[in-house]
Amino acid sequence: MYTTPKRVAAIHDLSGFGRCSLSVILPAMSAMGVQVCPVPTAILSTHTGGLGEVVLRDLTDYILPCLEHYKKIGVDFDCVYSGFLGSVEQVDHCLDFFHSYPEALAVVDPVMGDHGKPYKTCSEDIRRRMIELVSIADIITPNLTEAAILLGEEYRRTPLTRGEAKSLLARLSERGPNFVVITGAALAEGVMANLGYDRQRNYYWCVQCDYVPVSYPGTGDLFAAVLTASFLTGDSLPIAMSRATRFLEIAIKTTFSYGTDPRFGVMLESAIPYLTEHDVQQNYSLL
């Protein structure tokens, strides 16, 4: 029997080259049977990670009229999913989307920094407003840098014990979201992992992943997109985490094996067939 695909309003920027943001979110979620309605916050010729002077068109004045049009014609969304937001005004409009669809799954990827440093666009005002956005989210997917920013703490460069990881997840959940997933955490036992917390059930989850000595743009976008699509198609938190982790491992290892320029992003085209499989995920454990 045919069922209508789940529908997502994806509020992100769109980079034409470099495989990140909407250019990877759209194909990944579509491959998993989820309809993506892009709400671009800006259009860029490339991402901003070392590819020269970027051509950028800000679309802040597009977001609210887009929402009003959707409301006028009766478009419903099963999920509202936000990513990089370049201004306080964009945060405001993003909040308008969330408030307009209160029954939709609210996913916030609080894109504010990486490797211990906030992005240049991450002003104090944006940090403060991002905390407000996180407070109404069902799911958030920060990396360790963003977790520290949200908690107003110093970024720590030493690996986490399991107790410290649980404390970090719980304190982020106290900001509002029921589900917290932290990506790319080094644990004191010598492994890399993605970590999750389900506040309602009080379960902490860990999905280990292999370390590859390279950093690609767009991997956080892909992880959050696959995690969200997994949730929408019925997966539990640990299964969704495992599916997203496994997909990123395939994409990263495939790309690394070819030795392509890291600035060009992961070879999504080679890895995406994995997302059409419906294998049972088991690569998770309690934290």
Side-chain angles (χ1 to χ4, degrees):
M1 179 183 295
Y2 177 80
T3 57
T4 303
K6 297 293 185 179
R7 184 182 295 136
V8 177
I11 310 171
H12 297 255
D13 63 292
L14 171 62
S15 294
F17 181 78
R19 295 190 184 101
C20 67
S21 58
L22 283 172
S23 67
V24 297
I25 291 167
L26 275 160
M29 299 187 83
S30 296
M32 297 178 71
V34 173
Q35 180 188 2
V36 183
C37 299
V39 182
T41 58
I43 298 176
L44 300 85
S45 53
T46 71
H47 61 71
T48 57
L51 289 170
E53 188 173 347
V54 175
V55 178
L56 183 150
R57 297 292 182 268
D58 183 276
L59 294 179
T60 301
D61 61 357
Y62 165 82
I63 304 171
L64 196 54
C66 176
L67 170 61
E68 293 303 323
H69 184 205
Y70 288 156
K71 290 163 63 177
K72 183 176 181 180
I73 63 175
V75 174
D76 287 324
F77 291 104
D78 300 287
C79 173
V80 177
Y81 161 35
S82 69
F84 174 78
L85 302 170
S87 67
V88 170
E89 291 77 15
Q90 290 190 355
V91 177
D92 288 335
H93 297 332
C94 198
L95 285 166
D96 290 332
F97 255 93
F98 283 116
H99 291 315
S100 294
Y101 297 95
E103 301 302 316
L105 183 71
V107 180
V108 174
D109 185 8
V111 182
M112 295 185 289
D114 205 356
H115 306 296
K117 297 180 180 179
Y119 296 135
K120 292 180 179 179
T121 55
C122 185
S123 66
E124 286 294 336
D125 284 341
I126 288 181
R127 297 182 202 186
R128 177 174 51 81
R129 298 305 304 283
M130 190 64 74
I131 292 172
E132 182 180 348
L133 200 60
V134 162
S135 73
I136 64 168
D138 296 307
I139 306 171
I140 62 170
T141 59
N143 58 35
L144 285 171
T145 302
E146 292 153 354
I149 292 172
L150 289 172
L151 293 173
E153 300 176 357
E154 290 292 323
Y155 173 78
R156 57 173 293 168
R157 300 184 181 277
T158 55
L160 299 168
T161 66
R162 294 206 170 213
E164 290 168 338
K166 286 183 177 181
S167 173
L168 187 59
L169 288 163
R171 285 182 286 122
L172 285 168
S173 182
E174 289 170 0
R175 293 287 186 180
N178 187 53
F179 300 101
V180 177
V181 178
I182 296 177
T183 58
L187 297 181
E189 60 203 64
V191 298
M192 294 293 295
N194 296 315
L195 311 172
Y197 178 50
D198 178 341
R199 183 178 60 188
Q200 184 176 353
R201 295 175 176 83
N202 197 32
Y203 284 171
Y204 296 86
W205 298 101
C206 175
V207 179
Q208 294 187 20
C209 49
D210 292 338
Y211 172 73
V212 179
V214 67
S215 179
Y216 297 103
T219 52
D221 299 323
L222 276 169
F223 182 91
V226 174
L227 181 87
T228 300
S230 293
F231 254 93
L232 289 171
T233 52
D235 284 343
S236 65
L237 175 63
I239 290 177
M241 289 172 57
S242 184
R243 195 177 303 283
T245 301
R246 176 62 177 151
F247 172 68
L248 261 296
E249 280 189 331
I250 292 171
I252 290 170
K253 288 180 177 178
T254 298
T255 308
F256 187 67
S257 75
Y258 282 96
T260 59
D261 190 326
R263 297 175 299 172
F264 299 171
V266 295
M267 296 171 66
L268 175 69
E269 302 80 8
S270 298
I272 207 164
Y274 167 76
L275 294 177
T276 64
E277 300 174 3
H278 300 284
D279 53 330
V280 178
Q281 298 295 306
Q282 303 180 43
N283 185 31
Y284 55 85
S285 61
L286 288 170
L287 182 62

Short mmCIF file of all heavy atoms in Angstrom, two decimals, residues 213-269:
data_model
loop_
_atom_site.label_atom_id
_atom_site.label_comp_id
_atom_site.label_asym_id
_atom_site.label_seq_id
_atom_site.Cartn_x
_atom_site.Cartn_y
_atom_site.Cartn_z
N PRO A 213 41.67 10.39 9.47
CA PRO A 213 42.42 11.64 9.71
C PRO A 213 42.18 12.72 8.65
O PRO A 213 43.11 13.19 8.00
CB PRO A 213 43.87 11.17 9.69
CG PRO A 213 43.88 10.01 8.76
CD PRO A 213 42.56 9.31 9.00
N VAL A 214 40.94 13.12 8.49
CA VAL A 214 40.61 14.18 7.54
C VAL A 214 39.26 14.77 7.95
O VAL A 214 38.46 14.10 8.61
CB VAL A 214 40.54 13.62 6.10
CG1 VAL A 214 39.37 12.67 5.94
CG2 VAL A 214 40.47 14.74 5.06
N SER A 215 39.03 16.02 7.57
CA SER A 215 37.77 16.68 7.88
C SER A 215 37.13 17.17 6.58
O SER A 215 37.79 17.86 5.78
CB SER A 215 38.01 17.87 8.82
OG SER A 215 36.80 18.53 9.12
N TYR A 216 35.88 16.81 6.38
CA TYR A 216 35.14 17.19 5.18
C TYR A 216 33.97 18.12 5.55
O TYR A 216 33.31 17.90 6.57
CB TYR A 216 34.57 15.97 4.47
CG TYR A 216 35.60 15.00 3.95
CD1 TYR A 216 35.86 13.81 4.62
CD2 TYR A 216 36.31 15.26 2.78
CE1 TYR A 216 36.79 12.90 4.15
CE2 TYR A 216 37.24 14.37 2.29
CZ TYR A 216 37.48 13.19 2.98
OH TYR A 216 38.42 12.31 2.50
N PRO A 217 33.69 19.12 4.71
CA PRO A 217 32.49 19.94 4.95
C PRO A 217 31.24 19.11 4.72
O PRO A 217 31.25 18.13 3.95
CB PRO A 217 32.62 21.05 3.91
CG PRO A 217 33.42 20.43 2.81
CD PRO A 217 34.40 19.51 3.48
N GLY A 218 30.18 19.47 5.39
CA GLY A 218 28.88 18.86 5.12
C GLY A 218 28.59 17.56 5.85
O GLY A 218 27.47 17.06 5.77
N THR A 219 29.57 17.02 6.59
CA THR A 219 29.30 15.74 7.26
C THR A 219 28.29 15.91 8.40
O THR A 219 27.47 15.03 8.64
CB THR A 219 30.60 15.12 7.79
OG1 THR A 219 31.32 16.08 8.58
CG2 THR A 219 31.49 14.67 6.63
N GLY A 220 28.34 17.04 9.09
CA GLY A 220 27.34 17.30 10.13
C GLY A 220 25.95 17.44 9.54
O GLY A 220 24.97 16.96 10.12
N ASP A 221 25.86 18.09 8.38
CA ASP A 221 24.57 18.23 7.70
C ASP A 221 24.01 16.86 7.33
O ASP A 221 22.83 16.58 7.51
CB ASP A 221 24.72 19.07 6.43
CG ASP A 221 25.21 20.47 6.70
OD1 ASP A 221 24.81 21.05 7.73
OD2 ASP A 221 25.98 21.01 5.88
N LEU A 222 24.89 16.00 6.78
CA LEU A 222 24.46 14.67 6.38
C LEU A 222 24.01 13.83 7.58
O LEU A 222 23.00 13.13 7.52
CB LEU A 222 25.59 13.96 5.64
CG LEU A 222 25.71 14.26 4.14
CD1 LEU A 222 27.02 13.72 3.59
CD2 LEU A 222 24.53 13.68 3.38
N PHE A 223 24.78 13.91 8.66
CA PHE A 223 24.42 13.13 9.84
C PHE A 223 23.03 13.54 10.34
O PHE A 223 22.17 12.69 10.59
CB PHE A 223 25.45 13.31 10.95
CG PHE A 223 25.16 12.49 12.18
CD1 PHE A 223 25.68 11.23 12.32
CD2 PHE A 223 24.34 12.98 13.19
CE1 PHE A 223 25.38 10.44 13.44
CE2 PHE A 223 24.03 12.23 14.31
CZ PHE A 223 24.56 10.95 14.44
N ALA A 224 22.82 14.83 10.50
CA ALA A 224 21.53 15.31 11.01
C ALA A 224 20.40 14.98 10.06
O ALA A 224 19.28 14.65 10.50
CB ALA A 224 21.59 16.82 11.27
N ALA A 225 20.65 15.04 8.76
CA ALA A 225 19.61 14.74 7.77
C ALA A 225 19.21 13.27 7.83
O ALA A 225 18.01 12.94 7.82
CB ALA A 225 20.10 15.10 6.37
N VAL A 226 20.19 12.38 7.88
CA VAL A 226 19.89 10.95 7.94
C VAL A 226 19.23 10.59 9.27
O VAL A 226 18.28 9.81 9.32
CB VAL A 226 21.16 10.12 7.71
CG1 VAL A 226 20.88 8.62 7.90
CG2 VAL A 226 21.72 10.37 6.30
N LEU A 227 19.72 11.16 10.35
CA LEU A 227 19.10 10.93 11.66
C LEU A 227 17.64 11.35 11.65
O LEU A 227 16.75 10.62 12.12
CB LEU A 227 19.86 11.72 12.73
CG LEU A 227 19.36 11.55 14.16
CD1 LEU A 227 20.01 10.34 14.82
CD2 LEU A 227 19.64 12.81 14.99
N THR A 228 17.35 12.53 11.09
CA THR A 228 15.98 13.05 11.05
C THR A 228 15.09 12.17 10.19
O THR A 228 13.96 11.83 10.59
CB THR A 228 15.98 14.49 10.52
OG1 THR A 228 16.78 15.31 11.39
CG2 THR A 228 14.58 15.05 10.45
N ALA A 229 15.58 11.80 9.02
CA ALA A 229 14.78 10.94 8.13
C ALA A 229 14.52 9.59 8.79
O ALA A 229 13.43 9.01 8.63
CB ALA A 229 15.50 10.74 6.80
N SER A 230 15.49 9.07 9.53
CA SER A 230 15.31 7.80 10.23
C SER A 230 14.20 7.92 11.27
O SER A 230 13.34 7.04 11.39
CB SER A 230 16.61 7.37 10.91
OG SER A 230 17.61 7.04 9.96
N PHE A 231 14.22 9.01 12.04
CA PHE A 231 13.16 9.25 13.02
C PHE A 231 11.81 9.29 12.33
O PHE A 231 10.84 8.67 12.80
CB PHE A 231 13.41 10.58 13.72
CG PHE A 231 13.91 10.46 15.13
CD1 PHE A 231 15.27 10.47 15.39
CD2 PHE A 231 13.04 10.33 16.19
CE1 PHE A 231 15.75 10.36 16.69
CE2 PHE A 231 13.50 10.21 17.49
CZ PHE A 231 14.86 10.23 17.75
N LEU A 232 11.72 10.02 11.25
CA LEU A 232 10.44 10.22 10.58
C LEU A 232 9.90 8.93 9.97
O LEU A 232 8.69 8.79 9.78
CB LEU A 232 10.58 11.29 9.49
CG LEU A 232 10.76 12.72 9.99
CD1 LEU A 232 11.11 13.64 8.84
CD2 LEU A 232 9.51 13.21 10.71
N THR A 233 10.78 7.99 9.65
CA THR A 233 10.34 6.73 9.06
C THR A 233 10.24 5.62 10.09
O THR A 233 10.14 4.44 9.74
CB THR A 233 11.27 6.32 7.90
OG1 THR A 233 12.64 6.34 8.34
CG2 THR A 233 11.13 7.28 6.74
N GLY A 234 10.29 5.98 11.39
CA GLY A 234 9.96 5.03 12.43
C GLY A 234 11.08 4.47 13.27
O GLY A 234 10.84 3.64 14.15
N ASP A 235 12.31 4.89 13.04
CA ASP A 235 13.43 4.37 13.81
C ASP A 235 13.47 4.95 15.22
O ASP A 235 13.07 6.10 15.44
CB ASP A 235 14.76 4.66 13.12
CG ASP A 235 15.03 3.76 11.94
OD1 ASP A 235 14.36 2.71 11.84
OD2 ASP A 235 15.90 4.09 11.11
N SER A 236 13.99 4.18 16.16
CA SER A 236 14.25 4.68 17.50
C SER A 236 15.51 5.53 17.49
O SER A 236 16.26 5.55 16.50
CB SER A 236 14.45 3.50 18.46
OG SER A 236 15.61 2.76 18.10
N LEU A 237 15.80 6.20 18.60
CA LEU A 237 17.00 7.04 18.67
C LEU A 237 18.28 6.24 18.40
O LEU A 237 19.07 6.65 17.53
CB LEU A 237 17.09 7.75 20.02
CG LEU A 237 18.37 8.56 20.25
CD1 LEU A 237 18.49 9.70 19.24
CD2 LEU A 237 18.42 9.10 21.68
N PRO A 238 18.54 5.14 19.08
CA PRO A 238 19.81 4.45 18.82
C PRO A 238 19.91 3.88 17.41
O PRO A 238 21.00 3.89 16.81
CB PRO A 238 19.84 3.34 19.87
CG PRO A 238 18.43 3.15 20.29
CD PRO A 238 17.80 4.50 20.19
N ILE A 239 18.79 3.42 16.85
CA ILE A 239 18.83 2.90 15.48
C ILE A 239 19.08 4.04 14.49
O ILE A 239 19.86 3.91 13.55
CB ILE A 239 17.52 2.15 15.15
CG1 ILE A 239 17.46 0.84 15.96
CG2 ILE A 239 17.41 1.86 13.66
CD1 ILE A 239 16.18 0.06 15.76
N ALA A 240 18.43 5.19 14.71
CA ALA A 240 18.66 6.35 13.84
C ALA A 240 20.11 6.82 13.93
O ALA A 240 20.75 7.15 12.92
CB ALA A 240 17.71 7.48 14.22
N MET A 241 20.66 6.86 15.15
CA MET A 241 22.07 7.23 15.33
C MET A 241 22.99 6.26 14.61
O MET A 241 23.96 6.66 13.95
CB MET A 241 22.42 7.26 16.82
CG MET A 241 21.81 8.41 17.60
SD MET A 241 22.10 8.21 19.39
CE MET A 241 23.89 8.09 19.45
N SER A 242 22.70 4.98 14.74
CA SER A 242 23.53 3.96 14.11
C SER A 242 23.47 4.06 12.59
O SER A 242 24.49 3.95 11.91
CB SER A 242 23.07 2.57 14.56
OG SER A 242 23.90 1.55 14.03
N ARG A 243 22.28 4.29 12.04
CA ARG A 243 22.13 4.40 10.59
C ARG A 243 22.90 5.61 10.06
O ARG A 243 23.60 5.53 9.04
CB ARG A 243 20.65 4.51 10.22
CG ARG A 243 20.37 4.26 8.75
CD ARG A 243 18.87 4.31 8.46
NE ARG A 243 18.09 3.38 9.25
CZ ARG A 243 18.00 2.07 9.02
NH1 ARG A 243 18.68 1.54 8.01
NH2 ARG A 243 17.24 1.30 9.78
N ALA A 244 22.78 6.73 10.74
CA ALA A 244 23.49 7.94 10.31
C ALA A 244 25.01 7.77 10.43
O ALA A 244 25.77 8.20 9.55
CB ALA A 244 23.03 9.14 11.13
N THR A 245 25.45 7.13 11.51
CA THR A 245 26.88 6.92 11.71
C THR A 245 27.44 6.00 10.64
O THR A 245 28.51 6.27 10.07
CB THR A 245 27.13 6.30 13.10
OG1 THR A 245 26.61 7.18 14.10
CG2 THR A 245 28.62 6.07 13.35
N ARG A 246 26.74 4.91 10.37
CA ARG A 246 27.20 3.95 9.36
C ARG A 246 27.28 4.61 7.99
O ARG A 246 28.25 4.42 7.24
CB ARG A 246 26.25 2.75 9.32
CG ARG A 246 26.57 1.72 8.25
CD ARG A 246 27.93 1.09 8.44
NE ARG A 246 28.17 0.05 7.45
CZ ARG A 246 29.37 -0.28 7.00
NH1 ARG A 246 30.44 0.32 7.48
NH2 ARG A 246 29.50 -1.23 6.10
N PHE A 247 26.28 5.41 7.63
CA PHE A 247 26.31 6.08 6.33
C PHE A 247 27.49 7.03 6.23
O PHE A 247 28.18 7.06 5.19
CB PHE A 247 25.00 6.85 6.11
CG PHE A 247 25.05 7.71 4.87
CD1 PHE A 247 25.09 7.13 3.62
CD2 PHE A 247 25.08 9.09 4.97
CE1 PHE A 247 25.16 7.92 2.47
CE2 PHE A 247 25.14 9.88 3.84
CZ PHE A 247 25.18 9.29 2.58
N LEU A 248 27.75 7.80 7.27
CA LEU A 248 28.89 8.72 7.23
C LEU A 248 30.21 7.98 7.14
O LEU A 248 31.14 8.42 6.45
CB LEU A 248 28.87 9.64 8.45
CG LEU A 248 28.30 11.05 8.24
CD1 LEU A 248 29.15 11.83 7.26
CD2 LEU A 248 26.86 10.99 7.73
N GLU A 249 30.32 6.84 7.82
CA GLU A 249 31.55 6.04 7.71
C GLU A 249 31.78 5.60 6.28
O GLU A 249 32.91 5.70 5.76
CB GLU A 249 31.47 4.81 8.62
CG GLU A 249 31.77 5.08 10.07
CD GLU A 249 31.89 3.79 10.87
OE1 GLU A 249 31.24 2.80 10.49
OE2 GLU A 249 32.63 3.79 11.86
N ILE A 250 30.73 5.14 5.62
CA ILE A 250 30.85 4.71 4.22
C ILE A 250 31.27 5.88 3.34
O ILE A 250 32.18 5.77 2.51
CB ILE A 250 29.53 4.09 3.74
CG1 ILE A 250 29.26 2.77 4.46
CG2 ILE A 250 29.55 3.88 2.23
CD1 ILE A 250 27.88 2.21 4.20
N ALA A 251 30.59 7.01 3.49
CA ALA A 251 30.88 8.18 2.65
C ALA A 251 32.30 8.70 2.88
O ALA A 251 33.02 9.02 1.93
CB ALA A 251 29.86 9.28 2.93
N ILE A 252 32.70 8.80 4.15
CA ILE A 252 34.02 9.34 4.47
C ILE A 252 35.13 8.39 4.02
O ILE A 252 36.13 8.82 3.40
CB ILE A 252 34.13 9.65 5.98
CG1 ILE A 252 33.24 10.84 6.33
CG2 ILE A 252 35.57 9.93 6.38
CD1 ILE A 252 33.09 11.08 7.82
N LYS A 253 34.99 7.11 4.30
CA LYS A 253 36.03 6.15 3.92
C LYS A 253 36.15 6.03 2.40
O LYS A 253 37.26 5.92 1.86
CB LYS A 253 35.75 4.78 4.54
CG LYS A 253 35.99 4.73 6.04
CD LYS A 253 35.69 3.34 6.59
CE LYS A 253 35.98 3.24 8.06
NZ LYS A 253 35.66 1.90 8.61
N THR A 254 35.02 6.06 1.72
CA THR A 254 35.05 6.01 0.26
C THR A 254 35.81 7.22 -0.29
O THR A 254 36.69 7.09 -1.14
CB THR A 254 33.62 6.00 -0.31
OG1 THR A 254 32.95 4.82 0.14
CG2 THR A 254 33.64 6.00 -1.83
N THR A 255 35.47 8.39 0.20
CA THR A 255 36.11 9.63 -0.27
C THR A 255 37.59 9.64 0.06
O THR A 255 38.43 9.98 -0.78
CB THR A 255 35.41 10.84 0.37
OG1 THR A 255 34.01 10.76 0.16
CG2 THR A 255 35.92 12.14 -0.24
N PHE A 256 37.94 9.25 1.28
CA PHE A 256 39.34 9.23 1.71
C PHE A 256 40.16 8.28 0.86
O PHE A 256 41.34 8.56 0.55
CB PHE A 256 39.42 8.84 3.18
CG PHE A 256 40.79 8.94 3.77
CD1 PHE A 256 41.40 10.18 3.93
CD2 PHE A 256 41.47 7.81 4.18
CE1 PHE A 256 42.66 10.29 4.48
CE2 PHE A 256 42.74 7.90 4.73
CZ PHE A 256 43.34 9.14 4.88
N SER A 257 39.58 7.17 0.43
CA SER A 257 40.32 6.19 -0.37
C SER A 257 40.73 6.74 -1.72
O SER A 257 41.73 6.32 -2.29
CB SER A 257 39.48 4.91 -0.55
OG SER A 257 38.43 5.11 -1.49
N TYR A 258 39.96 7.70 -2.25
CA TYR A 258 40.28 8.29 -3.55
C TYR A 258 41.23 9.49 -3.42
O TYR A 258 41.75 9.97 -4.43
CB TYR A 258 39.00 8.73 -4.27
CG TYR A 258 38.25 7.58 -4.90
CD1 TYR A 258 37.20 6.97 -4.23
CD2 TYR A 258 38.59 7.10 -6.15
CE1 TYR A 258 36.50 5.92 -4.80
CE2 TYR A 258 37.91 6.04 -6.74
CZ TYR A 258 36.87 5.45 -6.06
OH TYR A 258 36.19 4.40 -6.62
N GLY A 259 41.43 9.98 -2.22
CA GLY A 259 42.36 11.08 -2.02
C GLY A 259 41.93 12.39 -2.64
O GLY A 259 42.77 13.22 -3.01
N THR A 260 40.62 12.63 -2.74
CA THR A 260 40.14 13.87 -3.33
C THR A 260 40.37 15.04 -2.38
O THR A 260 40.57 14.86 -1.18
CB THR A 260 38.65 13.77 -3.67
OG1 THR A 260 37.92 13.49 -2.47
CG2 THR A 260 38.40 12.67 -4.68
N ASP A 261 40.34 16.24 -2.91
CA ASP A 261 40.51 17.45 -2.11
C ASP A 261 39.42 17.50 -1.04
O ASP A 261 38.23 17.49 -1.37
CB ASP A 261 40.41 18.67 -3.03
CG ASP A 261 40.81 19.97 -2.33
OD1 ASP A 261 40.56 20.10 -1.12
OD2 ASP A 261 41.36 20.85 -3.02
N PRO A 262 39.79 17.55 0.24
CA PRO A 262 38.77 17.57 1.31
C PRO A 262 37.77 18.70 1.17
O PRO A 262 36.63 18.59 1.63
CB PRO A 262 39.61 17.71 2.59
CG PRO A 262 40.93 17.14 2.24
CD PRO A 262 41.16 17.50 0.80
N ARG A 263 38.18 19.81 0.55
CA ARG A 263 37.28 20.95 0.40
C ARG A 263 36.08 20.62 -0.47
O ARG A 263 35.06 21.33 -0.45
CB ARG A 263 38.01 22.15 -0.18
CG ARG A 263 39.13 22.70 0.69
CD ARG A 263 39.89 23.81 -0.03
NE ARG A 263 40.49 23.30 -1.27
CZ ARG A 263 41.08 24.06 -2.19
NH1 ARG A 263 41.13 25.38 -2.01
NH2 ARG A 263 41.61 23.52 -3.27
N PHE A 264 36.19 19.56 -1.27
CA PHE A 264 35.11 19.20 -2.19
C PHE A 264 34.02 18.36 -1.54
O PHE A 264 33.04 18.01 -2.17
CB PHE A 264 35.67 18.44 -3.40
CG PHE A 264 36.67 19.22 -4.22
CD1 PHE A 264 37.39 18.61 -5.22
CD2 PHE A 264 36.90 20.58 -3.99
CE1 PHE A 264 38.31 19.32 -5.98
CE2 PHE A 264 37.82 21.31 -4.74
CZ PHE A 264 38.53 20.67 -5.74
N GLY A 265 34.20 18.01 -0.27
CA GLY A 265 33.19 17.25 0.45
C GLY A 265 33.25 15.76 0.16
O GLY A 265 34.09 15.28 -0.59
N VAL A 266 32.36 15.02 0.82
CA VAL A 266 32.35 13.57 0.66
C VAL A 266 31.67 13.17 -0.65
O VAL A 266 30.82 13.89 -1.17
CB VAL A 266 31.65 12.87 1.84
CG1 VAL A 266 32.42 13.09 3.13
CG2 VAL A 266 30.21 13.33 2.00
N MET A 267 32.05 12.00 -1.15
CA MET A 267 31.50 11.49 -2.41
C MET A 267 30.13 10.87 -2.15
O MET A 267 29.95 9.65 -2.15
CB MET A 267 32.48 10.49 -3.02
CG MET A 267 33.81 11.12 -3.41
SD MET A 267 35.08 9.93 -3.90
CE MET A 267 34.36 9.27 -5.40
N LEU A 268 29.18 11.74 -1.94
CA LEU A 268 27.82 11.34 -1.62
C LEU A 268 27.25 10.43 -2.70
O LEU A 268 26.52 9.48 -2.42
CB LEU A 268 26.96 12.60 -1.46
CG LEU A 268 25.47 12.42 -1.23
CD1 LEU A 268 25.22 11.83 0.15
CD2 LEU A 268 24.75 13.75 -1.39
N GLU A 269 27.59 10.72 -3.94
CA GLU A 269 27.01 9.99 -5.06
C GLU A 269 27.32 8.49 -5.00
O GLU A 269 26.51 7.66 -5.42
CB GLU A 269 27.53 10.57 -6.38
CG GLU A 269 27.24 12.06 -6.56
CD GLU A 269 28.21 12.98 -5.81
OE1 GLU A 269 29.22 12.47 -5.26
OE2 GLU A 269 27.96 14.19 -5.76
#
